[in-house]
Amino acid sequence: MNNPRPAVSWVGDAPSGALQLIDQTLLPVEYREIRCATAEVVWEAIKSLRVRGAPAIGVAAAYGVVVGCQPVAQSTRADFNAKLDSVVQYLAGSRPTAVNLFWGLDRMRRVADASPSLGSAEMLDRLLEEAKAIELEDREMCASIARHGLPLLSECKGVLTHCNTGGLATAGDGTALAVIFAAARQNPELQVYADETRPLLQGARLTAWELMQRGVSATLICDSMAGWVMHEGRVQAVIVGADRIAANGDSANKIGTYSLSILAKAHNIPFYVAAPSSTFDLTIESGKEIPIEERASAEITHAFGKQTAPDQCMTYNPAFDVAPATHITALITEKGVIQPVTKERIHAVLTGNGQ
Ligand code: MRU
């Protein structure tokens, strides 16, 4: 069984509909869908990881623009534009690392800029159309990523992944996890090792859940076990997603990805990053320019309501790190596989001049 409904979707028409999400903070214990009918509720859902994963954040933000502009659907176009600007700016402040957020918001703004003479009600309809297009394209990108990535895992008996990059993190089947799903369909014996992904346990709570829902053999490990699992020869590839990929291929992803990339290199195991073109930020040269979100210390000291560190203990809680391009065997995109990972190859594949 797959997720009963997509992780992010729209219910209703433009003037009165709303964004619908699976509340991922409750999984795997409880499956609950929530309705987000204001920009504030969408902002909170993104900030608190009720919706998470770079592509899903981009789709949610696009729908967030629609709900944010609903109150001005009967106002002048000037008022509509002013509201749109403030909603876009507001949603952009929810999380800093996943570039899909800014990419989705930019697309929505550009649609409004392109039709300055449209009335506000028609503009709202047009914005909903664009958000739905973003959702649909994301679903298609997932399917293409799975197709392009499949041959890379065809010889693997075991594969390791980190965080959650599946149906919950996208509008479709996922990025890295979609490749794994495809590989498991081809080879039902495939063993998938899922890092639990401290501190918020996206691997344990979400990836293990998604794999089990689909009948894929999933083995949960603590993050610190990955090196030993490689040493024992249990995995022949590592595949992860990304939140932002710089022009040179440096890839930001969930904290722990950098260490995994070094471990994979040390064990001579291919390290793949699967992501749609919407996750590339070609305006930045390298990973040094990627803003890394720092989250509340309570995520480390009081994980899931239980105190696990002394009172007043100092913490450092970066939510992401950057795997350097030199550690990445290939980038898997909906437009094809980028290998070797160089600025030139990235440019060639993303612009369609590569293969
Ligand atoms: O903090 P999260 O859960 O939003 O982090 C998610 C990740 O790091 C994913 O690996 C990434 O967004 C790719 S999702 C297809």
Side-chain angles (χ1 to χ4, degrees):
M1 189 182 78
N2 299 341
N3 305 332
R5 284 175 46 80
V8 263
S9 57
W10 180 266
V11 178
D13 59 13
S16 62
L19 164 66
Q20 184 127 329
L21 299 175
I22 299 171
D23 185 343
Q24 300 187 34
T25 61
L26 304 175
L27 286 171
V29 179
E30 187 185 342
Y31 180 95
R32 193 193 298 166
E33 292 179 8
I34 50 170
R35 185 180 152 85
C36 304
T38 66
E40 288 73 17
V41 175
V42 175
W43 187 94
E44 192 280 336
I46 296 174
K47 179 78 182 171
S48 63
L49 275 57
R50 296 184 203 285
V51 59
R52 43 138 307 279
I57 291 172
V59 176
Y63 284 133
V65 171
V66 182
V67 292
C69 290
Q70 282 171 337
V72 288
Q74 300 308 323
S75 307
T76 64
R77 198 44 214 280
D79 286 350
F80 188 95
N81 288 349
K83 181 71 174 175
L84 177 87
D85 279 349
S86 73
V87 169
V88 165
Q89 204 181 354
Y90 172 65
L91 291 173
S94 55
R95 294 189 77 187
T97 303
V99 78
N100 304 61
L101 171 69
F102 309 98
W103 172 88
L105 293 172
D106 264 9
R107 254 180 82 157
M108 298 299 277
R109 190 199 292 272
R110 270 189 276 122
V111 159
D113 290 349
S115 303
S117 53
L118 218 54
S120 297
E122 291 75 21
M123 195 61 243
L124 192 69
D125 284 337
R126 182 66 199 89
L127 287 175
L128 179 58
E129 251 175 53
E130 187 68 7
K132 286 185 174 175
I134 291 173
E135 182 192 335
L136 178 67
E137 285 167 33
D138 188 63
R139 195 167 300 133
E140 291 168 352
M141 287 195 266
C142 291
S144 299
I145 287 171
R147 211 172 45 248
H148 288 300
L150 178 59
L152 300 174
L153 297 190
S154 62
E155 301 296 313
C156 293
K157 290 195 177 73
V159 60
L160 178 79
T161 192
H162 191 68
C163 198
N164 172 267
T165 60
L168 291 167
T170 63
D173 267 3
T175 57
L177 213 53
V179 181
I180 289 176
F181 292 148
R185 279 194 294 274
Q186 194 176 71
N187 168 21
E189 304 298 307
L190 183 72
Q191 300 298 310
V192 184
Y193 289 84
D195 278 354
E196 62 175 354
T197 316
R198 282 278 289 147
L200 295 181
L201 304 187
Q202 288 92 331
R205 295 186 303 104
L206 309 176
T207 300
W209 183 76
E210 281 201 53
L211 288 165
M212 291 171 74
Q213 294 261 325
R214 291 180 188 241
V216 179
S217 177
T219 301
L220 181 63
I221 58 170
C222 301
D223 300 342
S224 51
M225 298 169 188
W228 191 245
V229 163
M230 292 180 199
H231 174 79
E232 289 184 321
R234 291 172 185 264
V235 295
Q236 290 72 46
V238 176
I239 183 165
V240 298
D243 288 80
R244 194 185 292 228
I245 303 176
N248 72 345
D250 291 350
S251 299
N253 190 48
K254 179 53 54 195
I255 191 75
T257 301
Y258 171 67
S259 316
L260 270 188
S261 75
I262 294 174
L263 286 170
K265 206 174 171 65
H267 291 86
N268 211 12
I269 291 170
F271 184 86
Y272 301 119
V273 174
S277 49
S278 52
T279 300
F280 285 75
D281 182 356
L282 302 182
T283 68
I284 58 172
E285 278 303 312
S286 79
K288 286 197 192 107
E289 294 168 72
I290 298 177
I292 300 292
E293 176 182 13
E294 271 189 55
R295 293 187 63 87
S297 56
E299 289 182 355
I300 303 182
T301 59
H302 292 71
F304 303 98
K306 183 172 165 43
Q307 183 168 351
T308 52
D311 286 333
Q312 318 300 331
C313 182
M314 286 202 294
T315 62
Y316 174 49
N317 186 17
F320 300 95
D321 57 26
V322 179
T326 48
H327 294 186
I328 302 171
T329 312
L331 294 167
I332 306 163
T333 77
E334 81 278 13
K335 293 176 191 272
V337 173
I338 300 172
Q339 185 174 14
V341 179
T342 62
K343 187 175 176 177
E344 295 67 34
R345 287 300 301 157
I346 289 171
H347 186 262
V349 173
L350 292 188
T351 55
N353 299 321
Q355 25 186 290

